Amino acid sequence: MQKTLEDIDAMVMSLRAAVGMVLEGDDILRCEISVAEALTNIVMHAAPKCADAHIDVIVTEIPQAVVVEIFDPAGAEAFDPRDHVTVFHTVDPMAESGRGLGLILKCADVVRYGPVDGRNRLSLAFRKIGGNRSRP
């Protein structure tokens, strides 16, 4: 997808179609929230700031989960969301931002981040229907 706010909704709707047959209602919503927050953070904060930068999203079904991999645009600095989470109760209730990283970590069953083939990758896993939903 292009690195623009306008492209996020279309990507999340495509994702919903891809995972809709495998995840249940609340799990689909958790996936949508996580991916929308991650994409918004990349669009708003990840260098390069140029509009023609691309964010790649890959959805893979494995035996017990659906995995969504989000690759930052080439040249973006590493930003592991697990290292930057704000505790929800410390965010001003009137603030428009500040909860996204916490939502990602709360909604996804497994969150991994690191370099893959020269790009930064955020991997979000969501347990499938009938899978063990206890958090690792």
Side-chain angles (χ1 to χ4, degrees):
M1 73 171 252
Q2 289 292 112
K3 188 176 171 279
T4 66
L5 289 174
E6 293 77 25
D7 287 352
I8 294 172
D9 285 341
M11 178 55 71
V12 171
M13 293 308 293
S14 293
L15 174 73
R16 180 181 183 77
V19 303
M21 300 300 285
V22 182
L23 298 178
E24 296 175 330
D26 287 347
D27 299 326
I28 294 170
L29 181 60
R30 291 186 309 112
C31 184
E32 288 178 5
I33 290 169
S34 297
V35 171
E37 289 295 337
L39 293 174
T40 300
N41 286 339
I42 293 170
V43 168
M44 298 295 291
H45 305 294
K49 301 248 185 236
C50 58
D52 64 344
H54 287 275
I55 301 166
D56 293 320
V57 179
I58 299 171
V59 179
T60 306
E61 182 181 353
I62 61 175
Q64 295 183 343
V66 171
V67 179
V68 180
E69 296 175 295
I70 303 170
F71 291 85
D72 289 347
E77 291 184 27
F79 184 87
D80 189 335
R82 298 169 302 181
D83 296 335
H84 301 278
V85 177
T86 303
V87 179
F88 285 124
H89 74 272
T90 65
V91 178
D92 180 346
M94 301 306 289
E96 292 184 18
S97 62
R99 296 172 192 85
L101 298 176
L103 286 171
I104 292 168
L105 295 177
K106 183 74 172 167
C107 289
D109 292 307
V110 178
V111 177
R112 292 189 175 102
Y113 183 85
V116 173
D117 295 331
R119 293 176 69 188
N120 302 314
R121 180 196 67 181
L122 176 64
S123 176
L124 306 171
F126 303 89
R127 304 268 189 252
K128 289 183 354 184
I129 296 169
N132 178 1
R133 287 211 162 58
S134 63
R135 302 238 173 184

